[in-house]
Amino acid sequence: MMHQYYEQKAEFIAERQKVQDKMIDQTKSGIEQLTVAVLTAKEHQHRYEEQRCELMEDITRRQREFDGMNKRVREDTKKAARICRRIPTQRTVKDMENQLNQIERVIAEEEMRESSHREETVRTYHQVRCHYEEALKSIGSLQRYIMQLNHKMEDCVRQAKVGQLITSVAVRTRILFQSLLSKRGYHGVMKFDHKKKLLMVAAKAEADQNALTGDMEILSKGERSFTTVCFILSLWGALESPFRILDGFDESMDMVNRRVSMAMLLRAAREQCNKQYIFLTPQDLSAHIGAVDVRTHRLHDPDRNQGTLNFDRRGSSHDD
């Protein structure tokens, strides 16, 4: 029995030794693999570090190029601003160049066709150019007005909404003022300074070669009266009042300005039928008697020989 025990013990020890040797071999093999992996990782790290340095140098070089381009753009922008102001537009440079080339081509053709009337052609060109610039200004104002309306719905801050509303009303009033003046071939501007609470109005006739100024004394009485009517109508478009009254607005107007002014006033009254319009004038209104929506009240002519005022006498009225 003892002999069998020692044999089994020797077999167990031998088997355990084999297992230990196998584990040692596996451990050595794993260490060797890890060593190779560490060396490979170090090589990769070194290579990636070199690539990173190259990329950083490339980034630095490109950043210098970008800064140089920005500086050149700013310098070119300043040079361009000395020639003309910048006009906001969504059109491409190619479209603008095509339009400029087309305009220049038309001018060249007109000069060849009308060489004997060069001065007239040049004057017509400047007028068209002026109208074109005014149209661009109006388009820009309308675009800003549309953008303000779109942003107003998204803005939840009350102060921002108030500011946008003030700006949009000012733009609408200015555009309406210019549109009304254009019906008689006049040009005008209306500038608002909300911080200083100031309003500047300037107007001139189309035939007037002088620049626009805020001095209304250079206009005739009829032109000032017509400009005043356009100014009041543009302000009415921004106000909400149930009663609107004008007194003696056409006393200094000629027949053409008076006819255009009355047409604009009546059209404005008909477009806003929920408001009451009252016009007081010493002029003849027989041309407007008979309209269904116009009610005319005519007072008796004053008695020039009367020595005292007769407060019992009342002016009669008739409706048309």
Side-chain angles (χ1 to χ4, degrees):
M1 294 293 293
M2 292 299 294
H3 178 72
Q4 185 178 3
Y5 169 73
Y6 286 118
E7 287 180 355
Q8 292 178 354
K9 183 177 181 181
E11 292 176 359
F12 175 75
I13 292 173
E15 186 68 25
R16 186 179 64 180
Q17 186 65 35
K18 290 180 180 180
V19 173
Q20 290 179 351
D21 292 341
K22 185 177 181 180
M23 292 179 63
I24 290 172
D25 292 339
Q26 291 178 352
T27 303
K28 289 181 179 180
S29 177
I31 292 173
E32 290 176 355
Q33 293 177 358
L34 290 175
T35 302
V36 173
V38 169
L39 293 176
T40 303
K42 287 183 177 180
E43 292 178 356
H44 291 169
Q45 180 183 6
H46 181 68
R47 185 170 66 255
Y48 293 151
E49 187 66 27
E50 291 179 350
Q51 293 179 356
R52 188 183 69 84
C53 293
E54 293 177 356
L55 290 175
M56 290 301 296
E57 292 177 356
D58 186 63
I59 290 173
T60 303
R61 178 177 58 81
R62 292 180 181 274
Q63 184 64 38
R64 287 197 299 268
E65 294 177 355
F66 178 75
D67 295 339
M69 291 180 180
N70 276 340
K71 183 178 179 181
R72 182 177 178 183
V73 169
R74 289 193 297 269
E75 292 176 353
D76 292 343
T77 302
K78 290 181 180 179
K79 293 178 181 179
R82 297 172 184 172
I83 300 175
C84 65
R85 67 178 184 84
R86 187 168 186 174
I87 301 176
T89 180
Q90 296 180 351
R91 304 173 62 185
T92 62
V93 176
K94 185 176 181 181
D95 292 338
M96 298 295 290
E97 290 178 350
N98 292 336
Q99 183 177 10
L100 181 60
N101 293 333
Q102 183 179 2
I103 293 175
E104 291 176 349
R105 185 167 57 252
V106 171
I107 293 173
E109 293 175 355
E110 290 296 331
E111 287 180 349
M112 294 177 61
R113 188 182 300 111
E114 302 291 341
S115 58
S116 61
H117 303 284
R118 180 176 179 82
E119 295 182 358
E120 182 67 23
T121 303
V122 172
R123 183 162 53 252
T124 303
Y125 165 73
H126 287 300
Q127 291 178 355
V128 173
R129 185 65 179 267
C130 182
H131 293 164
Y132 172 72
E133 292 177 353
E134 290 180 356
L136 287 180
K137 293 179 182 178
S138 299
I139 291 173
S141 299
L142 289 174
Q143 289 176 346
R144 289 191 295 271
Y145 174 62
I146 293 173
M147 291 176 62
Q148 290 169 0
L149 290 179
N150 292 333
H151 294 326
K152 183 176 66 173
M153 300 303 296
E154 300 174 358
D155 197 347
C156 299
V157 181
R158 180 179 178 275
Q159 190 64 30
K161 286 185 177 180
V162 172
Q164 291 179 356
L165 180 60
I166 291 175
T167 303
S168 63
V169 169
V171 171
R172 184 178 62 185
T173 303
R174 182 168 59 252
I175 294 174
L176 180 58
F177 179 67
Q178 295 174 348
S179 175
L180 294 173
L181 284 177
S182 66
K183 296 182 182 301
R184 284 285 293 127
Y186 293 177
H187 298 286
V189 294
M190 182 184 295
K191 296 182 180 180
F192 293 85
D193 190 341
H194 300 294
K195 293 183 179 180
K196 297 181 180 181
K197 298 182 179 180
L198 297 177
L199 172 61
M200 192 277 285
V201 178
K204 70 171 185 176
E206 186 176 9
D208 191 356
Q209 300 298 327
N210 298 323
L212 286 173
T213 62
D215 186 9
M216 302 298 289
E217 296 297 330
I218 63 176
L219 301 177
S220 65
K221 291 183 178 180
E223 291 173 345
R224 285 201 302 269
S225 298
F226 180 75
T227 303
T228 302
V229 171
C230 296
F231 173 70
I232 293 175
L233 282 175
S234 61
L235 290 183
W236 279 353
L239 300 176
E240 290 295 335
S241 59
F243 298 99
R244 295 176 177 182
I245 304 174
L246 279 182
D247 182 12
F249 61 92
D250 57 349
E251 292 181 358
S252 301
M253 290 186 183
D254 55 22
M255 293 302 297
V256 176
N257 283 330
R258 183 171 181 271
R259 178 176 53 80
V260 175
S261 299
M262 286 299 300
M264 291 192 304
L265 291 171
L266 292 177
R267 182 164 53 253
R270 291 188 175 102
E271 289 176 354
Q272 299 182 0
C273 57
N274 58 339
K275 296 178 175 60
Q276 182 69 45
Y277 287 80
I278 301 174
F279 305 129
L280 304 178
T281 175
Q283 306 294 338
D284 182 22
L285 295 177
S286 59
H288 303 284
I289 296 176
V292 177
D293 54 351
V294 177
R295 177 173 296 177
T296 305
H297 297 269
R298 178 180 176 84
L299 300 179
H300 287 292
D301 295 334
D303 187 0
R304 300 301 181 183
N305 298 322
Q306 181 177 344
T308 59
L309 295 177
N310 184 6
F311 292 100
D312 294 334
R313 182 181 181 183
R314 298 180 179 179
S316 61
S317 64
H318 63 275
D319 298 342
D320 294 306

